[in-house]
Amino acid sequence: MTTVSSRWTGTGVAPGTAVAASWRVDRPIQLGAGPLDPNRVEQAFRDVAGDLNRVANRARAQGRRAVADIVAVGAVIATDPGLVDAAWRAATGDDPLHGIHDAVEEYARMLESLPDEMLRERAADVRQVGRRVIERLARTGSATPTLRRFVLVAEDLGPADLLEHLGQGLAGAVTVRGGANSHAAIVARSVGLPLVVGVDPEVLDLPDSTSLLVDADAGAVVADPPYAEVARADEATARDGQRRGVLATDRGRLHVTADGQPFGLLCNVASDTEVRVGRESGAEGIGLLRTELPFLHADRWPTDADHRRALRPILADTAGWPVTIRLLDFANDKVPPFLKDQPAGLKALLDNRDALAAQLRAILDAGRGVDVRIMVPMVTTAADLRAVRAAVSELGAPAIPVGAMVETVAAVTAIDELCTVADFFSIGTNDLTAQVLDLDRTDPRARPELTAHPYVLDLIARVVTGARLAHRPVSVCGDAGAHPTTLPLLLGAGVRHFSVACARIDETRYRLLRLDTAACAGIFAEALAMRDAEETATLVRQRIGVTVP
Ligand code: PEP
Ligand code: MG
């Protein structure tokens, strides 16, 4: 008999592939009517708090401190008297479980309506706690699947849902809701579980134990996948594991190219989990801390308290590291609702001096004792940089280095004047390439390898030369720094410092250790005469012999 596969697309927010049996973790509970001893409600909340604390403690004992803290938030919520009281009162009615469900939902909605972003985010945690309490009271939910290896399927997932099944057969997860910044996504990335979110709700109707392929790299979910596809996914997973092992063996080696030129390798982060991975992978610091990501759904400028809350966990483990904190970059595909229909980007921040001052105050405060540098995104003129510098000085911190991202053509053109104001530069190849080639950042054609286009390379060379003449350090923090075609070209252009996604550090180091800067410079000179990125890529492939395992 042949089985017909069903396919869905979604967004892979934690990389990897897995094939395992599906298990719907939040299958709707039959909320049967019937009286319930309200005292059991309080006990159920206490039990859920105990469960979550146990999961958090286990994570802490395994050295997963940040993850443990996230789960512990659920335990605190389960002891929140406001929530427990509301549920207790609801449970005295005729239909207690429905009542509790509605009371929890009302509480979650109340949180969602609050102006504080962090409190709003807790609504999902409240719903997770409510689900667990009802499961306990209804005694229907099977807290542990009987499957040897399984993929969790759910409307939405809390971090504890992943952690409590870790090491017990959990191979991946699929959800209808959630995003790259959800706590579940952060946990999944941190523990290396593939997670695809934004999948059609149809997936929720799959019977448990359906064979499910999760390919987070391709953003695909396939039920009853054909044998050949399963075999390919299994091979890819095995190869990836081996490859990672080999790449990691270079950690600790001196950072010099094949011809002895020193290079710097830093990481791009937006969470404490990434800081941990960066440290483990031997990054030398943070070359780009993206501060806007927690606020992309905000309906007002973040306050200094909002910024401090977001920054503290990230900066907690950065002792001895240089940390380049980029100011809010609400540009292009990162414009929050409150800036829709208004000028966004750097102009918005510079026009709202209170918002700028709030972020700077939070950086100075949360960054006490940290080797902090401030980086300004989307700079177009030296005046942009002067404005930020003045704001930093007004807060009594004139010695903090202030640098510019070079990611607009205007900034490249103004490079000599920018050198008179900037302490350092970082080339944002993602935006620069998109602008030069007139592509939207969300356009699937906007890929890192397009930085190999000679127009873009020419601009990069101008920045490197200008900065070198003025003795200003220059790095690249766009994704071209971690791409096999563009990395040799950037090295050939004279770039010696690269800041890349944490998951790409080992691979980038592997390449840099084996590249020859003189050979790269020769290829770069030839590339400037090519017609397009494809022709340049072919040239690089023909001439660069580094193959990654
Ligand atoms: C870039 O544009 O290259 C960059 C690093 O900034 P972001 O991707 O955050 O816009
Ligand atoms: Mg950018």
Side-chain angles (χ1 to χ4, degrees):
M1 191 182 86
T2 43
T3 328
V4 182
S5 308
S6 306
R7 285 169 193 278
W8 298 277
T9 52
T11 308
V13 294
T17 50
V19 186
S22 69
W23 183 58
R24 173 85 194 267
V25 65
D26 60 346
R27 198 168 289 288
I29 296 163
Q30 296 306 320
L31 299 179
L36 180 69
D37 175 0
N39 293 326
R40 275 189 57 209
V41 177
E42 286 179 303
Q43 186 58 45
F45 273 96
R46 275 198 294 275
D47 291 345
V48 167
D51 288 348
L52 293 173
N53 270 328
R54 264 189 299 282
V55 174
N57 289 340
R58 204 168 56 217
R60 205 165 279 126
Q62 290 164 346
R64 299 194 168 107
R65 203 184 65 205
V67 162
D69 291 346
I70 290 173
V71 176
V73 169
V76 173
I77 286 172
T79 54
D80 176 342
L83 177 64
V84 180
D85 271 5
W88 187 85
R89 262 183 276 112
T92 54
D94 296 341
D95 195 350
L97 293 185
H98 262 121
I100 294 172
H101 175 272
D102 293 349
V104 168
E105 187 56 31
E106 196 179 321
Y107 202 85
R109 292 224 178 108
M110 181 273 290
L111 287 179
E112 272 169 350
S113 69
L114 295 175
D116 186 304
E117 174 108 8
M118 294 288 170
L119 287 175
R120 283 205 307 269
E121 279 173 10
R122 295 288 78 79
D125 298 309
V126 167
R127 289 194 178 99
Q128 302 293 335
V129 166
R131 196 193 83 217
R132 283 163 180 271
V133 166
I134 292 170
E135 269 173 11
R136 275 191 165 267
L137 292 169
R139 296 204 181 284
T140 52
S142 87
T144 319
T146 48
L147 305 161
R148 207 171 51 81
R149 252 173 78 75
F150 56 93
V151 170
L152 290 183
V153 177
E155 173 93 30
D156 204 353
L157 281 174
D161 292 319
L162 297 178
L163 283 176
E164 69 189 345
H165 299 300
L166 208 61
Q168 291 163 22
L170 178 59
V174 171
T175 65
V176 172
R177 285 161 53 164
N181 284 335
S182 71
H183 281 152
I186 293 169
V187 169
R189 284 196 291 272
S190 132
V191 298
L193 280 175
L195 169 61
V196 179
V197 303
V199 178
D200 191 289
E202 246 178 37
V203 76
L204 301 175
D205 297 332
L206 282 177
D208 284 347
S209 301
T210 305
S211 171
L212 203 59
L213 164 68
V214 184
D215 183 348
D217 303 322
V221 177
V222 188
D224 293 316
Y227 174 75
E229 215 167 326
V230 174
R232 266 201 307 278
D234 285 345
E235 273 168 32
T237 308
R239 263 199 318 274
D240 196 49
Q242 280 167 357
R243 189 173 156 270
R244 281 170 202 268
V246 174
L247 294 176
T249 56
D250 278 341
R251 292 177 185 172
R253 277 184 62 177
L254 194 63
H255 282 176
V256 290
T257 59
D259 55 332
Q261 297 293 317
F263 64 84
L265 189 53
L266 298 97
C267 57
N268 296 347
V269 306
S271 66
D272 53 349
T273 304
E274 288 160 297
V275 171
R276 188 174 58 76
V277 176
R279 280 223 178 256
E280 271 169 21
S281 311
E284 295 163 274
I286 296 174
L288 167 62
L289 196 168
R290 290 182 167 100
T291 57
E292 63 282 351
L293 297 190
F295 305 112
L296 295 188
H297 301 292
D299 48 21
R300 56 166 173 74
W301 284 102
T303 62
D304 42 1
D306 295 333
H307 283 296
R308 271 199 306 270
R309 261 196 305 267
L311 281 173
R312 282 216 166 105
I314 302 176
L315 298 179
D317 199 14
T318 54
W321 252 14
V323 178
T324 304
I325 304 181
R326 183 174 72 183
L327 298 183
L328 292 169
D329 183 19
F330 287 145
N332 297 325
D333 56 335
K334 293 185 290 188
V335 179
F338 77 95
L339 283 178
K340 289 266 151 61
D341 310 319
Q342 293 183 48
L346 182 61
K347 177 162 173 34
L349 188 63
L350 295 182
D351 283 352
N352 285 276
R353 293 305 164 104
D354 289 349
L356 173 62
Q359 182 169 28
L360 291 173
R361 271 196 305 273
I363 292 173
L364 297 179
D365 186 17
R368 227 183 287 276
V370 179
D371 181 7
V372 163
R373 295 109 210 263
I374 290 168
M375 183 154 78
V376 188
M378 288 296 186
V379 167
T380 53
T381 66
D384 294 341
L385 223 51
R386 281 195 200 98
V388 173
R389 215 179 237 305
V392 175
S393 294
E394 266 168 36
L395 294 175
I400 297 239
V402 176
M405 282 201 70
V406 183
E407 51 183 345
T408 64
V409 177
V412 178
T413 314
I415 192 70
D416 293 337
E417 199 191 346
L418 286 176
C419 284
T420 63
V421 203
D423 292 312
F424 62 91
F425 296 105
S426 191
I427 305 176
T429 51
N430 303 340
D431 274 304
L432 186 61
T433 305
Q435 202 187 80
V436 172
L437 302 182
D438 199 18
L439 290 170
D440 191 282
R441 278 291 294 269
T442 55
D443 189 324
R445 288 173 302 163
R447 292 163 290 121
E449 55 265 47
L450 288 187
T451 300
H453 195 291
Y455 290 175
V456 185
L457 295 180
D458 180 52
L459 296 179
I460 290 171
R462 281 159 68 179
V463 176
V464 174
T465 309
R468 187 179 290 149
L469 287 173
H471 305 289
R472 295 286 180 273
V474 60
S475 63
V476 164
C477 62
D479 289 346
H483 192 274
T485 316
T486 42
L487 177 62
L489 292 166
L490 294 169
L491 202 60
V495 177
R496 293 291 180 270
H497 289 85
F498 302 87
S499 189
V500 302
C502 296
R504 310 300 298 273
I505 290 168
D506 285 335
E507 183 183 329
T508 308
R509 177 194 298 108
Y510 186 95
R511 293 181 193 283
L512 284 168
L513 289 172
R514 290 159 181 81
L515 286 168
D516 181 292
T517 57
C520 289
I523 296 170
F524 182 82
E526 282 183 55
L528 290 176
M530 296 284 137
R531 268 195 309 250
D532 54 26
E534 211 150 301
E535 211 176 278
T536 313
T538 307
L539 173 76
V540 175
R541 276 194 295 273
Q542 282 166 353
R543 303 273 289 278
I544 295 289
V546 179
T547 44
V548 168

